[in-house]
Amino acid sequence: MYYNLAQLLKEPTGSTRDYEIDDSFVGPEHGMDRAQGWVQVIRTHEGFLVRAELATQVNLTCSRCLDQFELKSRLKMEEESYPTADPATGKTTESSEELGGVIHLDDQHILDMTEVVRQYAISEAPIKPLCCDECLGLCPECGTDLNREKCKCNTTPADPRWGALAELLTERRE
Ligand SMILES: [Zn+2]
Ligand SMILES: [Zn+2]
């Protein structure tokens, strides 16, 4: 997901480039996650406007049962980016450091979407990921995955209302 914008930088304001993305990236849990969609880069007065719409598939570990699962989400972004070097002289422009911008371009004017997508995926990922809302988790006694089988430990909650709910959830999963 690297795009060279050196040529676009020399073009007038309003010029655009369209790219398709169908690529993998290293996600929040360091797995090979996936992003598909499009990116459009528009030349603005001071730099670029980067627009993108992506469908991402990120591998996460459930915080209850520790199973791996895939979180699908849609990423829509519109961010400004400023070149760090003048295209004509190749000199680093002072102002770009101050202007910053979320999307960083190196002095070769390469747009690195991989890092952008990675940052978005990390911010999208829940702090306590769940494979599903009804996940029963692991037995605190023996470590059995209660989504898959019942164990013989006596950890059934005493509250009958909770017991009824647990039964209901088990039925729904079967
Ligand atoms: Zn789970
Ligand atoms: Zn158990």
mmCIF file of all heavy atoms in Angstrom, residues 62-67 69 130-132 135-137 147, ligand 1:
data_model
loop_
_atom_site.group_PDB
_atom_site.id
_atom_site.type_symbol
_atom_site.label_atom_id
_atom_site.label_comp_id
_atom_site.label_asym_id
_atom_site.label_seq_id
_atom_site.Cartn_x
_atom_site.Cartn_y
_atom_site.Cartn_z
ATOM 1 N N CYS A 62 -10.472 -13.192 21.661
ATOM 2 C CA CYS A 62 -11.581 -12.926 22.576
ATOM 3 C C CYS A 62 -11.042 -12.844 24.006
ATOM 4 O O CYS A 62 -10.273 -13.702 24.439
ATOM 5 C CB CYS A 62 -12.622 -14.038 22.456
ATOM 6 S SG CYS A 62 -13.974 -13.869 23.639
ATOM 7 N N SER A 63 -11.461 -11.812 24.740
ATOM 8 C CA SER A 63 -10.929 -11.624 26.088
ATOM 9 C C SER A 63 -11.561 -12.593 27.084
ATOM 10 O O SER A 63 -11.080 -12.743 28.194
ATOM 11 C CB SER A 63 -11.143 -10.179 26.540
ATOM 12 O OG SER A 63 -12.522 -9.863 26.530
ATOM 13 N N ARG A 64 -12.653 -13.272 26.689
ATOM 14 C CA ARG A 64 -13.284 -14.237 27.604
ATOM 15 C C ARG A 64 -12.813 -15.667 27.345
ATOM 16 O O ARG A 64 -12.442 -16.373 28.267
ATOM 17 C CB ARG A 64 -14.804 -14.183 27.455
ATOM 18 C CG ARG A 64 -15.431 -13.069 28.263
ATOM 19 C CD ARG A 64 -16.945 -13.195 28.254
ATOM 20 N NE ARG A 64 -17.577 -11.888 28.449
ATOM 21 C CZ ARG A 64 -18.810 -11.609 28.060
ATOM 22 N NH1 ARG A 64 -19.539 -12.514 27.452
ATOM 23 N NH2 ARG A 64 -19.309 -10.415 28.274
ATOM 24 N N CYS A 65 -12.878 -16.111 26.078
ATOM 25 C CA CYS A 65 -12.564 -17.514 25.805
ATOM 26 C C CYS A 65 -11.199 -17.690 25.136
ATOM 27 O O CYS A 65 -10.763 -18.811 24.916
ATOM 28 C CB CYS A 65 -13.657 -18.152 24.935
ATOM 29 S SG CYS A 65 -13.693 -17.516 23.248
ATOM 30 N N LEU A 66 -10.540 -16.589 24.847
ATOM 31 C CA LEU A 66 -9.193 -16.584 24.253
ATOM 32 C C LEU A 66 -9.135 -17.186 22.852
ATOM 33 O O LEU A 66 -8.064 -17.521 22.349
ATOM 34 C CB LEU A 66 -8.181 -17.292 25.171
ATOM 35 C CG LEU A 66 -8.139 -16.797 26.624
ATOM 36 C CD1 LEU A 66 -7.114 -17.582 27.434
ATOM 37 C CD2 LEU A 66 -7.824 -15.312 26.694
ATOM 38 N N ASP A 67 -10.299 -17.342 22.217
ATOM 39 C CA ASP A 67 -10.343 -17.822 20.840
ATOM 40 C C ASP A 67 -10.011 -16.678 19.886
ATOM 41 O O ASP A 67 -10.294 -15.531 20.178
ATOM 42 C CB ASP A 67 -11.758 -18.336 20.524
ATOM 43 C CG ASP A 67 -11.760 -19.829 20.300
ATOM 44 O OD1 ASP A 67 -10.666 -20.445 20.386
ATOM 45 O OD2 ASP A 67 -12.848 -20.382 20.044
ATOM 46 N N PHE A 69 -10.786 -14.606 16.613
ATOM 47 C CA PHE A 69 -11.937 -14.347 15.759
ATOM 48 C C PHE A 69 -11.628 -13.158 14.874
ATOM 49 O O PHE A 69 -10.653 -12.442 15.082
ATOM 50 C CB PHE A 69 -13.209 -14.115 16.600
ATOM 51 C CG PHE A 69 -13.196 -12.824 17.362
ATOM 52 C CD1 PHE A 69 -13.871 -11.710 16.883
ATOM 53 C CD2 PHE A 69 -12.506 -12.717 18.557
ATOM 54 C CE1 PHE A 69 -13.868 -10.510 17.580
ATOM 55 C CE2 PHE A 69 -12.495 -11.516 19.268
ATOM 56 C CZ PHE A 69 -13.175 -10.420 18.774
ATOM 57 N N LEU A 130 -14.645 -9.304 22.136
ATOM 58 C CA LEU A 130 -15.469 -10.480 22.404
ATOM 59 C C LEU A 130 -15.803 -11.156 21.086
ATOM 60 O O LEU A 130 -16.201 -10.489 20.133
ATOM 61 C CB LEU A 130 -16.770 -10.083 23.100
ATOM 62 C CG LEU A 130 -16.694 -9.661 24.572
ATOM 63 C CD1 LEU A 130 -18.090 -9.333 25.081
ATOM 64 C CD2 LEU A 130 -16.066 -10.745 25.425
ATOM 65 N N CYS A 131 -15.666 -12.489 21.046
ATOM 66 C CA CYS A 131 -15.976 -13.213 19.817
ATOM 67 C C CYS A 131 -17.457 -13.099 19.497
ATOM 68 O O CYS A 131 -17.866 -13.088 18.354
ATOM 69 C CB CYS A 131 -15.536 -14.670 19.940
ATOM 70 S SG CYS A 131 -16.363 -15.577 21.242
ATOM 71 N N CYS A 132 -18.301 -13.029 20.552
ATOM 72 C CA CYS A 132 -19.729 -12.754 20.403
ATOM 73 C C CYS A 132 -20.222 -12.266 21.757
ATOM 74 O O CYS A 132 -19.594 -12.535 22.781
ATOM 75 C CB CYS A 132 -20.490 -13.999 19.967
ATOM 76 S SG CYS A 132 -20.352 -15.342 21.151
ATOM 77 N N CYS A 135 -20.615 -14.881 24.535
ATOM 78 C CA CYS A 135 -19.481 -15.748 24.839
ATOM 79 C C CYS A 135 -19.480 -16.129 26.320
ATOM 80 O O CYS A 135 -19.548 -15.271 27.194
ATOM 81 C CB CYS A 135 -18.163 -15.070 24.492
ATOM 82 S SG CYS A 135 -16.732 -16.064 24.941
ATOM 83 N N LEU A 136 -19.396 -17.434 26.607
ATOM 84 C CA LEU A 136 -19.450 -17.924 27.987
ATOM 85 C C LEU A 136 -18.076 -17.950 28.643
ATOM 86 O O LEU A 136 -17.954 -18.149 29.845
ATOM 87 C CB LEU A 136 -20.075 -19.330 28.015
ATOM 88 C CG LEU A 136 -21.514 -19.425 27.495
ATOM 89 C CD1 LEU A 136 -21.942 -20.877 27.397
ATOM 90 C CD2 LEU A 136 -22.468 -18.643 28.379
ATOM 91 N N GLY A 137 -17.056 -17.823 27.833
ATOM 92 C CA GLY A 137 -15.709 -17.755 28.388
ATOM 93 C C GLY A 137 -15.165 -19.093 28.846
ATOM 94 O O GLY A 137 -15.699 -20.155 28.511
ATOM 95 N N ASN A 147 -18.023 -22.428 25.760
ATOM 96 C CA ASN A 147 -18.796 -22.315 24.521
ATOM 97 C C ASN A 147 -18.871 -23.670 23.824
ATOM 98 O O ASN A 147 -19.775 -23.932 23.042
ATOM 99 C CB ASN A 147 -18.129 -21.336 23.561
ATOM 100 C CG ASN A 147 -18.102 -19.920 24.110
ATOM 101 O OD1 ASN A 147 -19.089 -19.451 24.653
ATOM 102 N ND2 ASN A 147 -16.959 -19.271 23.985
HETATM 103 ZN ZN ZN B 1 -15.204 -15.741 23.208
#
